[in-house]
Amino acid sequence: GIVSTALVLSFGFVFREPVWKSRPVFFACLGLMAFTAFLLLGPSNPISQMWHMASEDYNGSPPVKGSVWEKYQADGGKPSPAMSLPFRGLLQLLAVTNLAALAAWKLWMVDRQPAPG
């Protein structure tokens, strides 16, 4: 969300250069989006566990000791499975669709406005 918005709103217009002309910034944005996709779509690993991704089964039975899920289950909450891969794929598709919609809006609506002055 934030990275794709930053990328789209940095296309440039009248007073600034497009973001892809600044290679470090452009590749940092692409790298962050790729890292997010890896966290969301990848298998369980130490990195996804460190970022507490929904693909991890933290609310399993028994829950992770000392976690918020332990208190939740102690108060009567029921265990729930980790987010399935198809659902995580749908979330990734929504993120990419959001990026495309933001880019289209920026290019076809905002950048067509006449320059001030």
Side-chain angles (χ1 to χ4, degrees):
I2 292 173
V3 175
S4 60
T5 302
L7 186 64
V8 168
L9 295 179
S10 298
F11 281 172
F13 186 47
V14 178
F15 302 110
R16 62 183 185 268
E17 291 287 320
V19 68
W20 48 83
K21 288 193 175 181
S22 175
R23 290 185 181 187
V25 173
F26 183 68
F27 286 115
C29 287
L30 290 181
L32 285 170
M33 288 190 292
F35 180 67
T36 302
F38 164 74
L39 285 175
L40 188 61
L41 299 174
S44 177
N45 60 61
I47 297 172
S48 65
Q49 292 168 2
M50 181 178 71
W51 285 88
H52 200 99
M53 296 304 294
S55 57
E56 303 295 331
D57 190 14
Y58 289 103
N59 190 23
S61 184
V64 175
K65 285 282 187 205
S67 69
V68 68
W69 297 114
E70 186 177 36
K71 171 112 173 76
Y72 171 75
Q73 287 186 18
D75 292 342
K78 297 190 177 8
S80 59
M83 212 181 274
S84 68
L85 182 59
F87 187 72
R88 290 182 283 144
L90 177 63
L91 288 176
Q92 182 65 32
L93 179 64
L94 285 172
V96 171
T97 303
N98 176 55
L99 175 61
L102 278 171
W105 172 79
K106 176 72 166 73
L107 291 171
W108 295 328
M109 301 300 289
V110 175
D111 288 353
R112 287 190 174 191
Q113 303 293 323

